[in-house]
């Protein structure tokens, strides 16, 4: 359908549109007009992605005088592929109506591991090894040697791509990762470097969060992006954690041992160069004296990771004199590694700010703050001078230099925490030194400053007013949308006690109470006997899940569950979990029915959908709080309290409930779907906890369902399933239309009733 939205003609590839999609587009358009940032919470399963893509591409078509680029960030490769498939459908629809004028170039960009077509490079097992295998064949010095010695292996795809030079371009179209690989094979060009080159010319780029938020990667990939871009962070409920991880580094004993090995290897290389090509080391020294840290623009295949500090915090001056000589720099790194090794020998937990930590390094190892700041740049320069290609071998020394650069650069928003062992396993010594960032706004600030509009959107952004404070920005639009339904197909319930009227909760003091485990087990036994197909259960942690399942197994509850449905369990092993999910789906498909045990904050809770018969009921056992004795979490809470005036309790509750909402939201993936959600913990009945759930769940949570026991919940579930089995009208009646056709929209716009529908 094609309709007018104020002054923009929107091309939407489906015959009908949901009212919330229409209002979502309207709010998004207002943010684009105002050239500001926005926060939009839209329920799962209401077509958020297509509404976003349709509006932004139509907006660009309506206003050709200021072309806007769309940078769409997703969390996983699977989501990236889904977004590009949706965009392909939309693009075909637009070109059918507008002809060649609507043609755009849209590409997905991922790591070499997902884009490489050279079978010998792909034989490496992990991402870092694939990167190194690629560098061994494409680095400029390797190719220079290969020109003289034909026995040295290069990559024919990269060679062909380089030969084609400016002729190596992608014709307009929408390219998924699969399409890029196919195009690369057909032309004989390297798809990874082709995609990297085409990023600056394309209208739409879809890639991972890290490519924009992690300064090490963003410095290489995203520095060419123009200011007139709209950046979209999809599924962004955990964006603050992504920002914090981008600037945090942890150092273990293995890291220090690896770094020592790396330094010996670099020392051998320096000695070798001194004997064979001393001029090169001297040239590097002279270049550093003049203050040119790197030789102008590097060839694309040589570029390594960028500086771990944010662009605005990097000193634009020459490398300090005491580390210009390669051997002097090695001495400095050796002293730093020795100092860190001494700090890891501690018996007690230690916490320090960056300023006192740097003062201690200066006192004990004689390395000052400025030298620390330049560690990363200097290592980068040295690796290039020594022509080192197997970068995967040097990850340890890279980590140490990351750590040094960040400690030397930042004085606020970070702390250094040294723990001699994991508190949950105190008998196993595993010392770790962590530089942890507490301020999520640091990593995302360059994105807000640089691009004209940033859209943060997800199905769970409640309470929506906390995000601007956590990320320290001012959105021009901040809105949470409800779900328009013709029937109440979501049935949330809060279960506070078992059938014996004993309260249930995963509070620390009640957790090991056998009565709680028994009541949780009885609840599941009752539910498996009446709910058809698939049931998903989420626990608060792996250890709690293991404990409960063991208890159920001993008391025979698990056997009772197995009489009705098969049981599958998520483990920390990705392959095992994938296999369990596959078999779970098979069991649901063939009518045997199954129960899937999973963990909040795990892989399954974040990215797997249990739509239709794969999830008719989700049970959230307990409130998924973070491990509250974690030293890193305590330091972050203290920082949030002092800097942003966010109370500890508020943040912990907000964090636990966004995870709970994320878990139960897996069950509804479209409006024709239906499912029940049981929050099994007495704490959910308190208003301060419950009110932090997303509006689209709260609007279906009746007062009568707030304080249930197992037998009452069973009665409600029976009634609900009976009601859902009745035929229903998908488009809705006149008063409550949930599917609007083009004619409906025109009629409502003309008689002004569109505003009533929106608000």
């Amino acid at each position: 359908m094609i309709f007018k939205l104020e002054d923009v003609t929107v091309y939407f590839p489906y015959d009908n549109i949901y009212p919330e999609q229409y209002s979502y587009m309207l709010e998004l358009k207002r943010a684009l007009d105002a050239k500001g940032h926005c926060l939009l919470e839209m329920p799962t399963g209401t077509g958020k992605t297509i509404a976003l893509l349709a509006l932004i591409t139509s907006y660009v078509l309506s206003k050709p005088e200021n072309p806007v680029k769309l940078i769409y960030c997703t969390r996983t490769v699977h989501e990236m592929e889904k977004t590009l498939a949706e965009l392909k459908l939309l693009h075909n629809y637009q070109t059918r109506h507008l002809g060649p004028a609507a043609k755009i170039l849209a590409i997905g960009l991922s790591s070499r591991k997902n884009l490489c077509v050279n079978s010998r490079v792909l034989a490496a097992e992990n991402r870092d090894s694939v990167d190194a295998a690629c560098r061994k064949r494409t680095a400029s010095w390797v190719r220079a040697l290969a020109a003289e010695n034909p026995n040295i292996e290069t990559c024919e795809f990269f060679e062909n791509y380089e030969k084609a030079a400016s002729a190596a371009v992608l014709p307009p179209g929408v390219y998924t990762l699969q399409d890029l690989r196919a195009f690369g094979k057909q032309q004989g060009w390297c798809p990874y470097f082709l995609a990297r080159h085409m990023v600056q010319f394309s209208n739409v780029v879809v890639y991972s969060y890290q490519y924009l938020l992690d300064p090490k990667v963003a410095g290489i990939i995203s520095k060419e992006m123009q200011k007139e871009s709209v950046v979209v962070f999809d599924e962004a409920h955990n964006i603050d954690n992504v920002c914090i991880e981008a600037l945090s580094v942890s150092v273990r004993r293995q890291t220090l041992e690896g770094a020592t090995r790396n330094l010996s290897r670099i020392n051998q290389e320096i000695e070798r160069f001194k004997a064979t090509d001393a001029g090169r080391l001297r040239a590097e020294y002279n270049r550093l004296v003049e203050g040119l840290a790197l030789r102008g623009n590097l060839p694309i295949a040589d570029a390594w990771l960028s500086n771990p500090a944010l662009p605005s915090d990097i000193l634009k001056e020459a490398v300090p004199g005491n580390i210009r000589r390669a051997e002097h720099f090695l001495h400095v790194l050796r002293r730093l590694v020795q100092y860190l090794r001494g700090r890891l020998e501690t018996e007690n937990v230690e916490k320090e700010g960056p300023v006192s930590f740097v003062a201690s390094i200066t006192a004990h190892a004689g390395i000052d703050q400025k030298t620390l700041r330049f560690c990363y740049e200097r290592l980068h320069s040295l690796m290039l001078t020594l022509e080192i290609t197997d970068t995967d071998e040097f990850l340890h020394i890279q980590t140490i230099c990351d750590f040094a650069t960040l400690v030397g650069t930042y004085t606020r928003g970070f702390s250094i925490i040294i723990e001699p062992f994991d508190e949950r396993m105190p008998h196993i010594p595993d010392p770790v030194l962590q530089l942890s960032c507490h301020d999520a706004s640091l990593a995302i600030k360059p994105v807000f400053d640089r691009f004209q509009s940033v859209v943060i959107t997800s199905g769970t952004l409640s309470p929506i007013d906390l995000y601007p404070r956590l990320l320290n920005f001012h959105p021009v639009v901040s809105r949470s949308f409800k779900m328009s339904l013709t029937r109440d197909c979501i049935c949330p319930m809060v279960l506070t006690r078992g059938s014996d009227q004993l309260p249930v909760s995963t509070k620390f003091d009640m957790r090991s109470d056998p009565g709680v485990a028994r009541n949780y087990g009885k609840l599941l036994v009752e539910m498996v006997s009446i709910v058809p197909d698939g049931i998903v259960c989420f626990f608060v942690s792996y250890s709690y899940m293991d404990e409960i399942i063991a208890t159920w197994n001993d008391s025979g509850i698990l056997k009772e569950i197995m009489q009705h449905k098969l049981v599958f369990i998520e483990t920390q092993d990705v392959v095992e979990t994938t296999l369990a999910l596959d078999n779970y789906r098979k069991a649901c498909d063939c009518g045997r029915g199954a129960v899937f045990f999973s963990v909040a904050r795990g892989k399954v809770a974040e990215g797997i959908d249990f739509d239709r018969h794969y999830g008719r009921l989700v049970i959230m056992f307990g409130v998924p709080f973070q491990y509250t004795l974690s030293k890193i979490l305590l330091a972050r809470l203290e920082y949030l309290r002092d800097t942003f005036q966010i109370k500890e309790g508020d943040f912990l509750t907000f964090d636990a409930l966004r995870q709970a909402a994320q878990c139960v939201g897996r069950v509804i993936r479209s409006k024709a779907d239906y499912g029940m959600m049981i929050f099994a913990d007495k704490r959910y009945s308190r208003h301060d906890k419950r009110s932090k759930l997303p509006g689209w769940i709260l609007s279906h949570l009746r007062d009568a369902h707030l304080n249930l026991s197992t037998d009452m919940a069973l009665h409600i579930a029976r009634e609900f399933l009976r009601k859902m089995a009745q035929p229903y009208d998908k488009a809705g009646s006149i008063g409550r239309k949930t599917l609007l056709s083009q004619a409906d929209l025109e009629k409502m716009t003309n008689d002004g009733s569109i505003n009533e529908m929106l608000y």
Side-chain angles (χ1 to χ4, degrees):
M1 58 193 288
I2 302 171
F3 59 90
K4 288 289 277 187
L5 190 71
E6 292 173 355
D7 57 344
V8 170
T9 309
V10 179
Y11 293 85
F12 191 75
Y14 299 103
D15 296 337
N16 293 313
I17 185 170
Y18 296 139
E20 54 269 39
Q21 280 178 316
Y22 185 86
S23 28
Y24 185 85
M25 287 181 181
L26 200 58
E27 295 294 349
L28 188 56
K29 179 185 175 299
R30 285 174 186 163
L32 294 182
D33 287 343
K35 293 189 166 45
H37 312 313
C38 65
L39 267 170
L40 299 169
E41 178 183 58
M42 171 102 147
T44 48
T46 48
K48 178 171 71 233
T49 310
I50 191 65
L52 247 165
L53 295 171
L55 180 90
I56 295 175
T57 50
S58 305
Y59 189 87
V60 176
L61 289 171
S62 300
K63 307 193 173 177
E65 65 283 356
N66 51 350
V68 177
K69 185 190 200 101
L70 169 60
I71 304 172
Y72 195 102
C73 303
T74 64
R75 276 184 334 202
T76 60
V77 174
H78 174 67
E79 283 170 12
M80 185 197 298
E81 291 284 20
K82 261 193 338 201
T83 307
L84 285 162
E86 201 80 80
L87 184 59
K88 210 175 228 181
L89 183 84
L90 173 68
H91 184 239
N92 292 343
Y93 180 79
Q94 288 176 340
T95 44
R96 212 168 46 241
H97 283 275
L98 285 171
K103 276 204 180 316
I104 58 167
L105 174 62
I107 55 173
L109 183 62
S110 186
S111 63
R112 288 174 172 85
K113 193 174 185 322
N114 296 326
L115 280 173
C116 179
V117 286
N118 185 331
S119 50
R120 286 199 298 284
V121 173
L122 281 174
E125 64 273 11
N126 59 17
R127 197 181 67 209
D128 293 317
S129 316
V130 171
D131 287 355
C134 173
R135 206 169 264 116
K136 279 179 193 146
R137 293 168 173 80
T138 59
S140 54
W141 56 87
V142 174
R143 295 175 56 225
L145 279 175
E148 297 158 16
N149 177 359
N151 296 335
I152 291 178
E153 187 184 344
T154 56
C155 169
E156 68 272 23
F157 293 101
F158 184 72
E159 293 301 323
N160 293 343
Y161 164 72
E162 284 286 300
K163 276 196 198 89
S166 56
V169 287
L170 277 169
V174 178
Y175 294 88
T176 61
L177 300 182
Q178 181 66 44
D179 298 337
L180 279 170
R181 286 196 299 268
F183 182 81
K185 271 189 181 151
Q186 174 199 335
Q187 297 283 355
W189 297 337
C190 169
Y192 172 75
F193 286 107
L194 178 64
R196 282 262 307 263
H197 172 61
M198 294 306 294
V199 160
Q200 47 195 340
F201 307 111
S202 51
N203 310 76
V204 182
V205 184
V206 184
Y207 57 27
S208 147
Y209 280 27
Q210 270 69 25
Y211 286 14
L212 213 49
L213 293 178
D214 186 338
K216 295 193 285 298
V217 191
I220 298 176
I221 306 259
S222 305
K223 64 175 190 289
E224 267 99 39
M225 302 291 189
Q226 63 256 38
K227 185 182 176 354
E228 293 74 33
S229 298
V230 179
V231 176
V232 175
F233 289 108
D234 194 11
E235 296 295 335
H237 45 273
N238 279 343
I239 191 161
D240 54 322
N241 295 339
V242 178
C243 294
I244 278 175
E245 280 159 24
L247 292 175
S248 299
V249 184
S250 59
V251 177
R252 290 187 137 77
R253 275 200 186 133
Q254 297 89 309
T255 320
L256 294 173
E257 284 159 13
T260 311
R261 285 198 303 275
N262 294 163
L263 289 172
S264 315
R265 162 93 193 271
I266 291 178
N267 195 24
Q268 287 166 8
E269 294 287 321
I270 291 176
E271 294 304 323
R272 191 171 65 91
F273 267 92
K274 270 189 182 161
T276 57
D277 188 359
R280 171 158 312 160
L281 289 166
R282 209 170 311 115
E284 181 194 35
Y285 176 76
N286 294 335
R287 203 170 58 243
L288 293 173
V289 171
E290 285 158 20
L292 310 169
L294 293 174
R295 343 166 188 179
N297 282 339
L298 290 171
I300 189 165
D302 293 1
W304 202 37
L305 289 176
S306 194
N307 196 311
L310 299 165
S312 55
D313 302 323
I314 296 171
L315 284 181
K316 302 280 189 292
E317 52 185 89
V319 171
N322 57 348
I323 54 172
R324 284 181 196 152
R325 281 208 118 87
E327 48 272 44
H328 292 178
F329 177 55
L330 277 196
H331 283 308
V332 166
L333 288 183
R334 282 214 173 96
R335 292 205 301 274
L336 178 63
V337 169
Q338 194 56 44
Y339 172 79
L340 293 176
R341 189 173 282 134
R343 292 298 300 256
L344 277 182
E345 297 293 307
T346 175
E347 300 283 310
N348 313 313
V349 175
E350 296 175 16
K351 176 180 169 239
E352 229 179 315
V355 179
S356 64
F357 191 80
V358 170
S360 158
I361 292 183
T362 311
H364 293 91
I367 308 171
D368 63 350
Q369 182 183 0
K370 193 167 173 193
T371 309
L372 287 171
R373 273 185 95 155
F374 279 99
C375 273
Y376 199 87
E377 296 281 329
R378 184 66 191 90
L379 180 74
H380 188 177
S381 166
L382 184 62
M383 301 278 273
L384 286 172
T385 304
L386 299 177
E387 300 186 341
I388 287 174
T389 50
D390 47 352
T391 42
D392 56 332
E393 299 291 324
F394 287 86
L395 292 175
H396 297 297
I397 193 70
Q398 239 174 288
T399 306
I400 301 288
C401 288
D402 266 5
F403 175 82
T405 305
L406 289 168
V407 162
T409 306
Y410 295 103
T411 52
R412 288 193 65 246
F414 285 80
S415 43
I416 289 100
I417 296 170
I418 307 171
E419 296 183 87
F421 47 75
D422 188 336
E423 285 192 4
R424 286 168 274 194
M425 292 182 288
H427 47 282
I428 302 173
D430 176 24
V432 59
L433 182 147
Q434 315 203 34
L435 170 73
S436 62
C437 170
H438 308 313
D439 191 345
S441 62
L442 287 175
I444 203 168
K445 185 178 184 296
V447 179
F448 285 136
D449 292 350
R450 194 170 138 201
F451 298 112
Q452 71 178 31
S453 289
V454 177
V455 181
I456 293 179
T457 183
S458 172
T460 39
L461 285 180
S462 295
I464 206 161
D465 54 346
L466 203 55
Y467 282 89
R469 287 162 70 192
L470 276 176
L471 301 174
N472 199 12
F473 76 110
H474 302 291
V476 290
V477 173
S478 162
R479 178 104 195 262
S480 181
F481 299 92
K482 296 272 193 329
M483 208 168 182
S484 60
L485 296 166
T486 45
R487 56 172 186 169
D488 293 328
C489 63
I490 313 174
C491 178
M493 301 178 250
V494 175
L495 182 116
T496 54
R497 50 196 197 280
S499 40
D500 54 4
Q501 303 306 315
L502 281 175
V504 293
S505 177
T506 56
K507 269 173 81 169
F508 201 70
D509 47 355
M510 293 175 65
R511 196 169 272 206
S512 44
D513 182 349
V516 172
R518 189 182 62 246
N519 275 325
Y520 276 157
K522 284 277 184 290
L523 164 71
L524 190 54
V525 168
E526 297 285 0
M527 285 299 169
V528 290
S529 62
I530 64 157
V531 177
D533 302 321
I535 295 181
V536 190
C537 303
F538 287 101
F539 294 88
V540 288
S541 67
Y542 281 109
S543 53
Y544 186 62
M545 177 166 81
D546 295 346
E547 197 181 306
I548 285 258
I549 292 175
T551 315
W552 288 352
N553 190 33
D554 297 343
S555 58
I557 290 179
L558 211 52
K559 205 175 245 158
E560 285 182 61
I561 295 172
M562 305 267 267
Q563 285 173 355
H564 295 282
K565 293 187 190 302
L566 299 178
V567 172
F568 298 95
I569 302 175
E570 174 186 13
T571 61
Q572 286 169 344
D573 184 297
V574 180
V575 181
E576 277 183 11
T577 304
T578 313
L579 198 63
L581 269 169
D582 271 357
N583 288 327
Y584 168 81
R585 292 216 161 100
K586 278 182 195 154
C588 293
D589 288 338
C590 71
R592 173 74 173 85
V595 183
F596 194 81
F597 290 152
S598 178
V599 172
R601 300 175 196 279
K603 284 273 178 284
V604 174
E606 279 296 325
I608 308 291
D609 300 339
F610 293 100
D611 50 343
R612 310 190 317 279
H613 59 288
Y614 299 128
R616 287 298 182 210
L617 163 68
V618 175
I619 306 177
M620 180 76 237
F621 290 115
V623 185
F625 283 107
Q626 287 189 49
Y627 176 59
T628 43
L629 297 177
S630 147
K631 297 287 178 293
I632 293 178
L633 179 63
L634 291 171
R636 183 178 178 197
L637 290 173
E638 189 185 319
Y639 181 80
L640 289 175
R641 190 187 60 225
D642 298 346
T643 314
F644 298 122
Q645 288 73 53
I646 296 173
K647 291 189 197 131
E648 282 116 327
D650 285 354
F651 179 76
L652 286 170
T653 305
F654 148 78
D655 184 61
L657 283 157
R658 69 173 163 182
Q659 299 301 337
Q662 196 50 28
C663 292
V664 296
R666 305 278 109 212
V667 61
I668 292 281
R669 295 323 275 178
S670 79
K671 292 195 180 182
D673 205 353
Y674 62 88
M676 294 177 288
M677 310 166 174
I678 296 181
F679 296 97
D681 193 309
K682 64 174 190 177
R683 289 173 289 180
Y684 286 111
S685 64
R686 287 173 43 186
H687 182 260
D688 65 319
K689 297 272 187 289
R690 195 179 66 238
S691 60
K692 291 190 169 61
L693 286 169
W696 58 275
I697 294 181
L698 282 179
S699 59
H700 292 274
L701 186 58
R702 303 200 192 118
D703 290 347
H705 295 177
L706 283 183
N707 187 2
L708 304 176
S709 63
T710 306
D711 39 348
M712 292 152 77
L714 202 66
H715 175 71
I716 291 169
R718 280 205 177 98
E719 289 292 304
F720 174 76
L721 290 166
R722 196 171 299 146
K723 202 162 83 193
M724 286 299 111
Q726 310 308 317
Y728 77 109
D729 169 20
K730 282 194 176 67
S733 57
I734 297 303
R736 267 178 88 181
K737 263 206 163 324
T738 61
L739 274 180
L740 305 174
S741 63
Q742 199 163 333
D744 290 334
L745 272 180
E746 282 161 12
K747 179 168 167 286
M748 290 167 102
T749 316
N750 293 339
D751 64 12
S753 60
I754 194 103
N755 292 334
E756 290 165 33
M757 176 200 77
L758 296 180
Y759 299 103

